[in-house]
């Protein structure tokens, strides 16, 4: 065993008692909500919660985008019938707010801004720390809204959604993890019992069916009987130019910039697809500055392009002058969630059935 593994193992056991305490606190909190000693608000509008048991990096935004596309691109016409609501992590504002043309990552957060720039005005995008009052305001202001997608709301027990979609990273299954701080869980594993379905994200696109059964069995030890488990991966599109908004025909050498909770799958894809000169990693929800732009410019030697994520693009683009945007080779990499095999059709039927039961 290497010194690093010994150090990690010692640290785990040192932190384990704190994990027990943290897990106990979350157990008590969940019990109070389960017994309705703490009130939970049931919206009058069909609501879907997208969340996880772990801290960050399970693909909540691609899942939310999938649900948006499922409705907006096939059903919704005229006035928006779909709304998204999130806390707006990292924003410098407080309270309830609807996204508009003048908003930035500083006013609504990077992920809500990404959704607004991609889907507005066909979808209404809202942020608000207190979800229950926020939902009530949405319902009162926009009676035409027929569904509300709640981003990262699995632990937000003050709202009782009609459908709880629990995400699990294929590379970091919750059933082998532990509560914070010894592990990455926000609550104990049995919190999965609140899930109406589990979507295993970031799977290899060519994952054999035979490899999914052991995962289903492991997940089922913590979920309610009959809770379906679906499998999905990530599909990266062609890089899109900051300057033109058009896909690039060809990129070869790139410097990757990312501010993600889990950037390893992205780096692996970029290494396989392009000549990766460097990967500049930041913590999730990085607040970029002009000094970051200056350091990126120095890294872009002739023939090398900067490649980043959509979430990072909406923040970096706001810092650029028109001249810089036109002169520099800057691109973002679109990503979308894709279900494996027939799981897409099965998941769509599951969501449709849930919405019909609500009606």
């Amino acid at each position: 065993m290497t010194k690093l593994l010994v150090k990690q193992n010692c640290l785990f056991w040192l932190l384990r008692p704190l994990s027990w305490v943290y897990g106990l606190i979350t157990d008590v909190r969940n019990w109070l909500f389960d017994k309705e000693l703490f009130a939970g608000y049931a919206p009058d509008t069909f609501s879907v919660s997208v969340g996880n048991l772990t801290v960050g990096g399970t693909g909540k935004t691609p899942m939310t985008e999938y649900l948006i596309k499922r409705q907006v691109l096939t059903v919704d016409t005229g006035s928006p019938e779909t709304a998204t609501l999130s806390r707006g992590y990292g924003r410098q504002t407080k309270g309830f707010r609807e996204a508009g043309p003048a908003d930035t990552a500083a006013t609504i957060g990077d992920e809500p801004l990404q959704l607004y720039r991609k889907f507005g005005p066909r979808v209404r995008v809202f942020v608000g720390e207190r979800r229950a009052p926020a939902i009530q305001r949405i319902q009162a202001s926009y009676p035409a809204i027929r569904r509300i997608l709640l981003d990262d709301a699995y632990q937000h027990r003050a709202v009782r959604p009609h459908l709880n979609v629990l995400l699990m990273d294929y590379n970091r299954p919750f059933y082998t993890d532990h509560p914070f701080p010894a592990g990455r869980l926000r609550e104990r594993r049995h919190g999965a019992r609140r899930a109406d379905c589990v979507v295993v994200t970031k799977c290899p696109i060519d994952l054999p069916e035979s490899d999914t059964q052991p995962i289903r069995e492991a997940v089922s030890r913590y979920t309610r009987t009959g809770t379906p488990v679906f499998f999905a991966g990530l599909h990266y599109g062609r890089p899109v130019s900051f300057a033109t908004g058009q896909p690039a025909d060809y990129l070869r050498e790139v410097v990757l910039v990312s501010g993600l909770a889990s950037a390893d799958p992205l780096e692996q894809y970029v290494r396989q697809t392009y000549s990766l000169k460097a990967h500049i990693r930041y913590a999730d929800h990085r607040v970029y500055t002009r000094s970051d732009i200056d350091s990126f410019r120095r890294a872009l030697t002739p023939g090398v392009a900067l490649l980043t994520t959509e979430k990072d693009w909406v923040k970096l683009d706001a810092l650029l002058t028109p001249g810089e945007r036109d002169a520099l080779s800057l691109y973002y990499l679109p990503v979308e969630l894709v279900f494996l095999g027939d799981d897409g059709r099965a998941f769509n039927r599951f969501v449709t059935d849930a919405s019909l039961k609500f009606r």
Side-chain angles (χ1 to χ4, degrees):
M1 185 178 290
T2 66
K3 290 183 179 180
L4 178 60
L5 289 176
V6 171
K7 183 178 179 180
Q8 290 175 339
N9 196 43
C10 290
L11 183 61
F12 170 79
W13 286 108
L14 285 171
L15 295 175
R16 194 77 173 97
L18 296 178
S19 286
W20 291 332
V21 174
Y22 180 83
L24 178 61
I25 292 172
T26 59
D27 280 351
V28 171
R29 177 179 180 270
N30 282 325
W31 182 84
L32 291 169
F33 275 108
D34 291 341
K35 298 300 181 182
E36 299 185 359
L37 297 174
F38 282 177
Y41 170 66
D44 296 329
T45 305
F46 182 65
S47 56
V48 180
S49 167
V50 177
N52 52 21
L53 291 181
T54 57
V55 179
T58 54
K60 292 186 295 294
T61 301
M63 182 76 247
T64 301
E65 290 191 1
Y66 179 91
L67 290 168
I68 291 173
K69 292 174 184 176
R70 177 181 173 276
Q71 285 297 142
V72 173
L73 302 186
T74 60
V75 179
D76 287 356
T77 58
S79 178
E81 297 182 355
T82 299
T84 70
L85 173 63
S86 65
R87 181 177 58 165
Y89 186 87
R91 63 183 173 128
Q92 298 173 12
T93 59
K94 297 291 184 182
F96 179 76
R97 188 182 184 98
E98 180 178 0
D103 276 305
T104 66
T107 60
I108 60 172
D110 50 15
E111 288 162 344
L113 180 62
Q114 176 183 329
L115 294 176
Y116 178 76
R117 293 187 68 168
K118 180 175 285 189
F119 299 107
R122 293 174 296 173
V123 170
R124 297 195 185 278
V125 177
F126 301 90
V127 294
E129 301 90 341
R130 300 177 62 221
R131 312 288 177 87
I135 292 172
Q136 291 169 348
R137 291 187 62 175
I138 293 170
Q139 292 174 152
S141 301
Y142 299 103
I145 294 295
R146 298 180 58 190
R147 66 198 64 84
I148 301 175
L149 306 179
L150 306 172
D151 176 61
D152 198 13
Y154 196 77
Q155 284 76 35
H156 198 86
R157 300 296 306 275
V159 173
R160 299 199 305 270
H162 302 98
L163 191 63
N164 246 330
V165 179
L166 178 64
L167 307 185
M168 183 188 82
D169 186 340
Y170 170 84
N171 305 287
R172 295 185 291 113
F174 71 78
Y175 51 76
T176 62
D177 209 341
H178 301 274
F180 181 85
R184 296 174 58 89
L185 295 186
R186 299 175 173 184
E187 56 181 300
R188 294 189 197 274
R189 301 170 189 174
H190 57 241
R193 285 190 61 82
R194 298 197 306 278
D196 295 302
C197 71
V198 176
V199 179
V200 183
T201 60
K202 300 185 180 181
C203 298
I205 297 299
D206 57 354
L207 182 68
E209 179 66 26
S210 59
D211 288 356
T212 65
Q213 189 56 34
I215 298 174
R216 293 181 196 274
E217 293 174 356
V219 168
S220 69
R221 291 200 292 270
Y222 300 98
T223 57
R224 302 190 307 272
T225 301
T227 301
V229 180
F230 306 102
F231 292 82
L234 294 177
H235 175 264
Y236 294 97
R238 293 164 61 193
V240 177
S241 167
F242 278 33
T244 66
Q246 297 300 312
D249 292 327
Y250 178 76
L251 285 184
R252 186 171 181 273
E253 296 183 328
V254 300
V255 169
L256 179 63
V257 174
S258 68
L260 302 172
S262 177
D264 288 344
L266 171 65
E267 179 178 314
Q268 181 180 6
Y269 170 80
V270 172
R271 284 190 182 279
Q272 293 172 346
T273 311
Y274 308 98
S275 174
L276 180 62
K277 310 303 291 184
H279 183 182
I280 304 174
R281 289 181 181 235
Y282 294 104
D284 198 14
H285 300 286
R286 167 76 174 185
V287 179
Y288 292 101
T289 64
R290 275 299 313 182
S291 62
D292 292 324
I293 298 292
D294 294 337
S295 66
F296 299 157
R297 294 188 66 166
R298 290 191 292 270
L300 297 181
T301 56
V304 177
L306 181 144
L307 188 62
T308 192
T309 70
E310 285 186 90
K311 186 168 76 170
D312 294 302
W313 160 62
V314 298
K315 292 177 286 189
L316 291 171
D317 188 64
L319 297 172
L320 298 170
T321 66
E324 288 173 329
R325 195 176 292 108
D326 291 336
L328 300 174
S329 272
L330 307 174
Y331 299 86
Y332 68 85
L333 194 61
V335 62
E336 64 179 354
L337 181 141
V338 291
F339 282 96
L340 307 189
D342 291 330
D343 279 12
R345 284 191 288 272
F347 177 80
N348 289 340
R349 285 196 302 270
F350 179 79
V351 175
T352 298
D353 289 345
S355 66
L356 291 175
K357 289 178 183 176
F358 167 74
R359 293 175 191 172

